[in-house]
């Protein structure tokens, strides 16, 4: 006890002694001498774990000394001594010789103190540069890698810190960049270029990485690119070296890794599919989707790096060199061939590559990249040629001219088909006619992306246009008549009490779409002074096939209808195209969108007449859809993945709005009701075995009738089997196109509808005699989507009248 009290008393009375500056310097020298002795006496630390552990301990103590000194005021004698004696050479060699991640980790901290210590003669030293480059290259190389992901990130962070210093002080660049170095005969051209600027090439290897590693690498390269105008040798090297070639090749390599297998959308991902006849998605392993997502993220990260590089690059010649390589090496030699050579047969890649293009176009913002890509894919002749500068110059440097000649030579060596014979527009037209629903969905999604994000670049290519006289401006009475027609169509589908809410939501969506449409940010000075009104020509193939899809609405896949409404709504948001020209034709015609919607609504009217349960089914299913969407937005199980649907997939889930309604099984015969494609019953009624028929008045039913109908069904029970009744809905006039058809079209002369003669219909006589059928559940879902689409069109007309001044109020 006495001993314990004395120890406690002694510890309380003593104070921790702070070492002086000379003592710290002495400790630093002893530790550095110990490292030097180990390096001289040890032959291979990789085979001596004890010595490697001893080295790690010495480095840890040395870093502690440097860290303690960094908290004190200058001068920092320990840091100055280690820099003057080039201890970093020994530290780098020991780290490489030991192959120990622990030693490398302490070496990284040591270099961090030197880089940020602002010691003169360190950052501008070629010996220091070589030591650091060797340390990073060999410890992160796939063949000699000894660090984990965190250690790799710390090493790339060191290079980022160097680039930050170069950006602030370009005078230290000669220590890291050696343009005067002449390649030796023993080196390949790539190795020779790497030896001239190893810091740059090391960073390029990590630009596509996720997380901090990729962020450090991309930002560091941006700093170097930003520095190029301040150093003529660096600017010249960037044009004459393989910088642009390597960046374009890296983008191409990441694009080539993207899966060519179509990723079907499951009911878990989109709950509305559970209420239609959509086929279940293939049960791909989770690793497949994880790998596909990882590859796409890597590609988009590299694309973001491309755009950041162009925005940070202050040298116009370097920027044009990068753009040339992007067009030739990526767009011409990989992107376009992947679209042309894709196949739309079962298991083909057309839908996959088109969806990849959608993600690509949704992520790209740089106007020069967009212009280069679309000028080639859409064969826009007004744009400059591949190897020409974007802006005319009176003088071009020799380095820039040499780069242009090399790319022109490379482009001439390939024998790729030309978009002048088969452009991206031709692919879109073919895909809209496909019998593969995934391909149709991808093509419609592509149209939506082009309209929403890039329409000014392809305004005259995507939709065939014609110029109308200024007299085509609509008067107020004409607008009111069109609006009333659309509201009447919506009420015929269903007169539920939430229609006003749907229209108000559609108004907000329409205004948001128009305010964010790509065309709104161009030609603002011309708004309000236009003397010509542009409309979609009657010869427009894209709109023709979109209207064909609308005609087969109830036979379509749900995803097709969703993307179709999205594409048409995107078209309605464009201020440069008169909406009334395709919604309501300017001349007497029955081919407008309004005429087709009227036919579809008449079909719904027949179904309401034949199914007394229609309004109740419609209301319940709409509530279910809203409930499923809410669960989906909260991240909870929904659709068929919920426990209730798994146990009874064919049973109607009844919400709290009608608790007394219960499902039961009953035998119901198929109903012979006509389809929209010319087989609508002329007498407006058909025999139905399961129940009585009723007629629907020309106007909308009142809410009381709907409630009465629901109560009557609640009291008599609702049949779940009835929702699975197969109803004839007609067959869509779609055509399947594979790569051989496209290649055949390439050999044809380039006409407005190039290659369409080579495509034949796959619809057989048997299919004509036996039209497609769909379940009543599917038909109800499509009716709900159709009503929402009608509200979207009405909202677009109303917003455009004020925002774009399309209505004559005089």
């Amino acid at each position: 006890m006495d001993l314990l009290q004395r120890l406690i008393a002694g510890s309380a009375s003593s104070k921790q002694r702070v070492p002086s500056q000379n003592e710290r310097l002495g400790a630093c020298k002893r530790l550095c001498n110990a490292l030097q002795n180990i390096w001289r006496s040890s032959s291979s630390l990789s085979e001596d774990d004890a010595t490697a552990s001893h080295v790690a301990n010495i480095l840890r103590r040395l870093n502690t000394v440097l860290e303690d000194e960094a908290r004190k005021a200058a001068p920092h004698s320990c840091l100055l001594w280690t820099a003057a004696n080039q201890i970093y050479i020994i530290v780098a060699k020991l780290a490489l010789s030991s192959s120990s991640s622990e030693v490398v980790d302490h070496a990284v901290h040591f270099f961090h103190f030197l880089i940020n210590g602002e010691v003169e003669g360190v950052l501008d030293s070629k010996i220091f540069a070589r030591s650091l480059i060797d340390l990073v290259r060999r410890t992160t190389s796939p063949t000699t890698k000894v660090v984990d992901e965190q250690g790799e990130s710390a090493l790339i962070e060191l290079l980022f810190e160097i680039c930050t210093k170069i950006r602030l002080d370009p005078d230290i660049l000669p220590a890291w960049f050696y343009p005067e170095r002449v390649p030796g005969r023993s080196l390949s051209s790539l190795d020779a270029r790497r030896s001239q600027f190893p810091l740059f090439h090391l960073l390029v290897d990590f630009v596509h990485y996720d997380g901090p590693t990729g962020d450090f690498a991309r930002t560091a390269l941006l700093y170097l690119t930003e520095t190029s105008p301040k150093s003529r040798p660096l600017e010249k090297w960037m044009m004459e070296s393989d910088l642009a070639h390597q960046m374009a090749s890296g983008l191409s390599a990441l694009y080539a890794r993207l899966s060519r297998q179509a990723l079907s959308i499951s009911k878990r991902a989109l709950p509305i599919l559970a209420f239609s006849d959509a086929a279940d998605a293939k049960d791909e392993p989770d690793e497949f989707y994880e790998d596909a997502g990882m590859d796409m993220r890597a590609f988009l990260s590299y694309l973001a790096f491309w755009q950041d590089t162009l925005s940070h690059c202050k040298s116009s010649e370097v920027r044009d060199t990068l753009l040339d390589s992007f067009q030739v090496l990526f767009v011409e030699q990989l992107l376009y061939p992947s679209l042309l050579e894709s196949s739309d047969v079962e298991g083909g890649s057309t839908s996959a590559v088109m969806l990849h293009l959608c993600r690509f176009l949704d992520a790209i913002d740089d106007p020069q990249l967009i212009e280069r890509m679309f000028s080639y894919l859409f064969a826009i002749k007004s744009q400059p040629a591949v190897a020409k500068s974007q802006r005319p110059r009176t003088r071009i440097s020799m380095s820039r001219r040499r780069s242009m000649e090399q790319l022109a030579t490379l482009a001439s060596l390939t024998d790729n088909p030309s978009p002048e014979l088969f452009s991206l527009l031709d692919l879109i037209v073919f895909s809209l006619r496909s019998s593969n629903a995934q391909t149709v969905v991808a093509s419609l999604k592509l149209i939506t992306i082009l309209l929403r994000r890039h329409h000014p670049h392809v305004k005259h290519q995507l939709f065939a246009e014609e110029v109308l006289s200024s007299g085509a401006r609509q008067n107020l009475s004409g607008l009111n008549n069109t609006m009333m027609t659309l509201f009447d169509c919506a009420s015929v589908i269903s007169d539920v009490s939430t229609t006003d809410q749907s229209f108000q939501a559609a108004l907000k969506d329409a205004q948001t779409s128009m305010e964010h449409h790509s065309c709104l940010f161009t030609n603002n000075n011309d708004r309000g002074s236009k003397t010509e009104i542009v409309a979609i020509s009657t010869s427009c193939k894209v709109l023709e096939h979109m209207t064909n899809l609308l005609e087969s609405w109830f036979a379509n896949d749900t995803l097709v209808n969703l993307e179709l409404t999205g594409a048409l709504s995107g078209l309605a948001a464009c201020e440069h195209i008169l909406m009334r020209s395709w919604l309501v034709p300017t001349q007497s015609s029955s081919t407008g969108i309004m005429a087709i919607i009227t036919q579809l609504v008449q079909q719904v009217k027949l179904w309401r007449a034949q199914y007394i349960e229609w309004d109740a089914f419609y209301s319940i299913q709409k509530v279910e859809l809203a409930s499923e969407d809410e669960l989906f937005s909260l991240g909870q199980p929904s659709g068929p993945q919920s426990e209730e649907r798994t146990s009874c997939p064919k049973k109607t889930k009844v919400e709290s709005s009608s608790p007394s309604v219960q499902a039961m099984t009953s035998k119901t015969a198929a109903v012979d009701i006509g389809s929209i494609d010319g087989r609508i019953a002329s007498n407006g009624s058909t025999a139905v075995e399961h129940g009585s028929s009723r007629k629907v008045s020309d106007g909308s039913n009142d809410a009381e009738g709907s409630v009465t109908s629901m109560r009557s069904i609640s009291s008599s029970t609702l049949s779940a089997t009835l929702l699975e009744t197969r109803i004839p809905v007609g067959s869509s006039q779609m055509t399947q196109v594979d790569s051989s058809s496209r290649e055949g079209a390439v050999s044809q002369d380039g006409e407005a509808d190039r290659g369409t003669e080579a495509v034949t219909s796959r619809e057989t006589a048997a299919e004509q005699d036996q039209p497609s059928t769909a379940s009543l559940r599917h038909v109800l879902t499509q009716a709900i989507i159709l009503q929402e689409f009608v509200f979207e069109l009405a909202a677009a007309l109303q917003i455009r009248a004020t925002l774009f001044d399309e209505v004559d109020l005089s």
Side-chain angles (χ1 to χ4, degrees):
M1 180 62 70
D2 293 339
L3 177 61
L4 179 61
Q5 290 178 347
R6 288 197 300 271
L7 289 175
I8 296 175
S11 62
S13 60
S14 62
K15 295 182 179 180
Q16 186 175 2
R17 182 174 174 275
V18 179
S20 65
Q21 181 176 343
N22 290 332
E23 289 175 332
R24 282 198 304 270
L25 180 59
C28 176
K29 290 180 178 180
R30 288 191 296 273
L31 293 170
C32 292
N33 290 333
L35 292 175
Q36 289 177 325
N37 292 332
I38 293 175
W39 170 247
R40 294 192 188 99
S41 60
S42 300
S43 57
S44 178
L45 293 181
S46 60
E47 300 176 358
D48 191 347
D49 295 338
T51 304
S53 178
H54 183 49
V55 170
N57 184 49
I58 295 176
L59 283 175
R60 179 183 57 77
R61 293 166 57 191
L62 178 59
N63 288 334
T64 301
V65 172
L66 296 176
E67 185 177 4
D68 291 340
E69 185 184 60
R71 299 193 184 100
K72 309 298 181 182
H76 298 151
S77 56
C78 295
L79 193 62
L80 291 172
W81 190 88
T82 55
N85 288 272
Q86 298 180 340
I87 301 301
Y88 47 79
I89 300 177
I90 301 299
V91 172
K93 289 183 177 181
L94 287 172
L96 295 176
S97 176
S98 66
S99 299
S100 168
S101 60
E102 185 181 8
V103 174
V104 173
D105 181 59
H106 291 304
V108 168
H109 284 80
F110 176 77
F111 274 91
H112 174 78
F113 287 124
L114 289 175
I115 293 173
N116 295 280
E118 298 182 357
V119 179
E120 186 176 355
V122 174
L123 297 181
D124 58 351
S125 169
K126 292 186 177 181
I127 298 177
F128 177 80
R130 184 174 62 187
S131 298
L132 179 57
I133 292 297
D134 287 344
L135 176 65
V136 177
R137 178 195 293 133
R138 292 178 56 184
T139 54
T140 60
S141 172
T143 56
T144 58
K145 187 174 182 179
V146 296
V147 293
D148 57 10
E149 183 177 347
Q150 184 176 359
E152 191 174 60
S153 177
L155 287 163
I156 302 303
E157 184 178 4
L158 291 179
L159 302 185
F160 164 75
E161 292 172 352
I162 294 296
C163 294
T164 303
K165 301 294 184 181
I166 293 176
R167 183 193 185 201
L168 298 175
D169 183 12
D171 291 338
I172 68 177
L173 181 62
W176 305 87
F177 174 52
Y178 325 112
E180 72 284 353
R181 180 173 292 175
V182 179
R185 292 184 177 181
S186 60
L187 295 177
S188 64
S189 58
L190 178 59
D191 292 336
R193 284 188 289 269
R194 282 182 174 271
S195 67
Q196 290 180 328
F197 204 179
L199 171 63
F200 191 96
H201 285 280
L202 258 179
L203 292 168
V204 168
D205 293 338
F206 292 93
V207 293
H208 62 279
Y209 276 47
D210 291 330
T213 302
D215 292 337
F216 284 132
R218 289 187 290 271
T219 308
L221 281 173
L222 294 180
Y223 289 167
L224 293 179
T225 305
E226 191 174 331
T227 307
S228 62
K230 303 176 183 178
S231 172
R232 180 56 188 170
L234 178 58
E235 185 180 34
K236 179 181 177 182
W237 180 86
M238 285 188 170
M239 285 185 287
E240 294 183 349
S241 71
D242 65 338
L243 162 67
H245 185 284
Q246 189 169 355
M247 286 183 60
S249 299
L251 189 66
S252 298
L254 291 174
Y255 177 82
R257 282 170 48 186
L258 299 179
S259 173
R260 295 302 186 263
Q261 180 176 343
L263 301 180
S264 55
I265 300 178
S266 65
K267 297 176 184 178
R268 180 191 294 271
L270 200 60
I272 194 174
L273 299 183
F275 297 88
S276 66
D277 294 341
D280 291 332
K282 294 172 61 177
D283 293 331
E284 300 289 353
D286 293 340
E287 293 80 5
F288 174 79
Y289 292 100
E290 292 175 1
D291 292 344
M294 187 180 302
D295 291 340
M296 177 56 72
R297 287 193 298 271
F299 173 75
L300 295 179
S301 296
Y302 207 107
L303 177 62
F305 166 64
W306 255 96
Q307 298 185 87
D308 289 340
T309 301
L310 290 172
S311 63
H312 281 74
C313 184
K314 307 303 180 182
S315 170
S316 59
E317 291 192 326
V318 173
R319 185 167 55 249
D320 287 341
T321 301
L322 290 168
L323 290 169
D324 287 345
S325 294
F326 171 81
Q327 180 170 337
V328 173
L329 301 180
F330 176 68
V331 177
E332 295 186 15
Q333 297 189 0
L334 184 63
L335 180 61
Y336 173 70
S338 71
L339 295 169
L340 180 66
E341 297 168 4
S342 62
S343 174
D344 192 36
V345 298
E346 177 122 10
S349 60
T350 298
S351 61
V353 296
M354 292 187 74
L355 288 177
H356 294 334
L357 182 60
C358 289
R359 294 288 302 273
F360 179 51
L361 295 179
D362 198 33
I364 194 169
D365 292 306
D366 187 88
Q368 292 178 306
L369 283 178
I370 297 169
E371 190 174 333
R372 288 295 189 101
M373 180 172 59
F374 286 150
S375 65
Y376 184 80
L377 293 180
F378 282 92
I380 304 176
K381 297 181 180 179
S382 60
Q383 298 299 325
V386 170
K388 293 183 179 180
S389 176
Q390 287 292 98
R391 296 170 301 280
R393 294 190 184 90
T394 57
R395 185 177 181 181
I396 299 178
S397 67
M398 185 60 67
S399 299
R400 168 69 179 140
R401 191 180 303 277
R402 187 179 297 113
S403 173
M404 292 165 59
E405 292 173 351
Q406 290 175 350
L407 270 179
T409 302
L410 184 61
S412 64
L413 296 177
T414 59
D415 189 21
N416 291 329
S418 171
E420 294 182 0
L421 300 179
F422 190 90
S423 68
L424 181 59
L425 178 61
D426 297 316
L427 178 61
I428 291 174
V429 171
F430 275 127
S431 299
L432 287 175
R433 302 176 60 190
S434 173
S435 60
N436 188 338
Q438 288 183 326
T439 301
V440 178
V441 167
S443 60
L444 291 170
K445 188 182 292 290
L446 180 56
I447 293 173
T448 303
I449 293 293
L450 289 172
L451 287 169
R452 179 171 57 87
R453 301 272 285 124
H454 310 293
H455 197 205
H457 296 277
V458 293
K459 187 171 60 177
H460 305 295
Q461 285 75 34
L462 187 58
F463 291 94
E465 299 175 349
E466 61 182 2
V467 178
L468 303 179
S469 64
S470 58
R473 193 173 179 218
Q474 192 177 21
N475 55 38
L476 184 59
S477 62
L479 173 65
N480 289 334
N481 291 335
T482 305
M483 295 282 289
M484 289 304 300
T485 301
L486 289 172
F487 283 130
D488 287 342
C489 289
S491 64
V492 170
I493 296 174
S494 176
D495 53 353
V496 295
S497 58
T498 59
T499 53
D500 184 64
Q501 290 180 330
S502 298
F503 181 65
Q504 293 301 322
L507 283 174
K508 294 180 181 179
D509 292 342
Q511 183 172 353
T512 301
S513 298
M514 293 178 194
E515 291 176 347
H516 292 83
H517 195 276
S518 55
C519 287
L520 192 65
F521 302 100
T522 59
N523 300 326
N524 290 327
N525 296 331
D526 298 334
R527 187 177 294 114
S529 61
K530 293 181 286 188
T531 59
E532 293 182 341
I533 298 179
V534 176
I536 298 181
S537 171
T538 55
S539 63
C540 179
K541 294 298 180 182
V542 174
L543 184 61
E544 175 188 339
H545 294 307
M546 291 173 70
T547 55
N548 290 341
L549 289 172
L550 186 61
E551 289 177 347
S552 60
W553 179 269
F554 292 105
N556 291 344
D557 186 270
T558 300
L559 280 177
V560 171
N561 287 343
L562 290 174
E563 292 298 339
L564 178 61
T565 59
L568 291 173
S569 297
L571 181 60
C574 178
E575 66 165 333
H576 294 299
I577 296 180
L578 182 67
M579 181 178 177
R580 202 165 58 89
S581 66
W582 53 270
L583 179 64
V584 181
T586 54
Q587 297 178 352
S588 298
S589 174
S590 60
T591 59
I593 298 295
M594 185 75 79
I596 299 174
I597 290 177
T598 303
Q599 287 182 293
L600 294 173
V601 169
Q602 289 302 314
Q603 178 66 84
V604 173
K605 185 176 180 180
L606 288 176
W607 282 325
R608 288 186 71 180
Q610 302 306 319
Y611 287 92
I612 192 172
E613 301 91 346
W614 175 275
D615 287 339
F617 280 155
Y618 188 95
S619 299
I620 294 172
Q621 191 141 318
K622 197 165 187 178
V623 171
E624 285 191 20
L625 283 171
S627 176
E628 296 289 359
D629 287 340
E630 183 178 358
L631 290 174
F632 178 67
S633 63
L634 296 175
Q636 299 179 12
S638 61
Q641 304 301 329
S642 63
E643 219 174 275
E644 184 173 351
R645 288 195 187 280
T646 304
S647 60
C648 188
K650 299 298 183 182
K651 185 177 294 184
T652 303
K653 177 183 173 185
V654 181
E655 301 296 335
S656 57
S657 59
S658 54
S660 61
V661 180
Q662 297 181 352
M664 64 174 291
T665 304
S666 64
K667 185 176 181 181
T668 309
V671 185
D672 184 17
I673 297 181
S675 64
I676 190 60
D677 53 347
R679 288 187 287 273
I680 298 179
S682 58
N683 57 3
S685 63
T686 326
V688 182
E689 288 188 19
H690 66 84
S692 61
S693 63
R694 64 177 176 85
K695 293 184 179 180
V696 180
S697 60
D698 294 337
S700 61
N701 297 332
D702 54 19
E704 182 180 354
S706 178
V707 172
T708 303
S709 176
M710 291 183 65
R711 287 175 178 172
S712 64
I713 296 172
S714 299
S715 61
S716 61
T717 72
L718 181 149
S719 172
T721 304
L722 179 59
L723 288 173
E724 307 307 324
T725 301
R726 305 302 297 183
I727 303 175
V729 291
S731 56
S732 63
Q733 304 295 324
M734 291 191 273
T735 307
Q736 192 174 34
V737 182
D738 57 19
S739 59
S740 61
S741 300
R742 299 184 199 134
E743 292 168 0
V746 170
S747 62
Q748 306 281 337
D749 293 332
E751 300 294 338
D753 188 23
R754 292 178 291 271
T756 54
E757 296 83 2
V759 182
T760 59
S761 173
R762 302 295 180 93
E763 189 175 21
T764 63
E767 291 173 336
Q768 294 176 357
D769 294 337
Q770 299 177 358
S772 300
T773 62
S775 68
L776 179 57
R777 182 193 300 276
H778 176 88
V779 169
L780 285 166
T781 301
Q782 309 319 306
I784 293 172
I785 299 173
L786 179 62
Q787 188 183 57
E788 296 296 324
F789 177 52
V790 169
F791 287 138
E792 289 176 1
L793 294 178
L797 280 170
Q798 181 170 321
I799 297 296
R800 289 175 67 102
T802 54
L803 188 62
F804 299 153
D805 192 26
E806 288 188 348
V807 177
D808 185 5
L809 301 178
S810 59

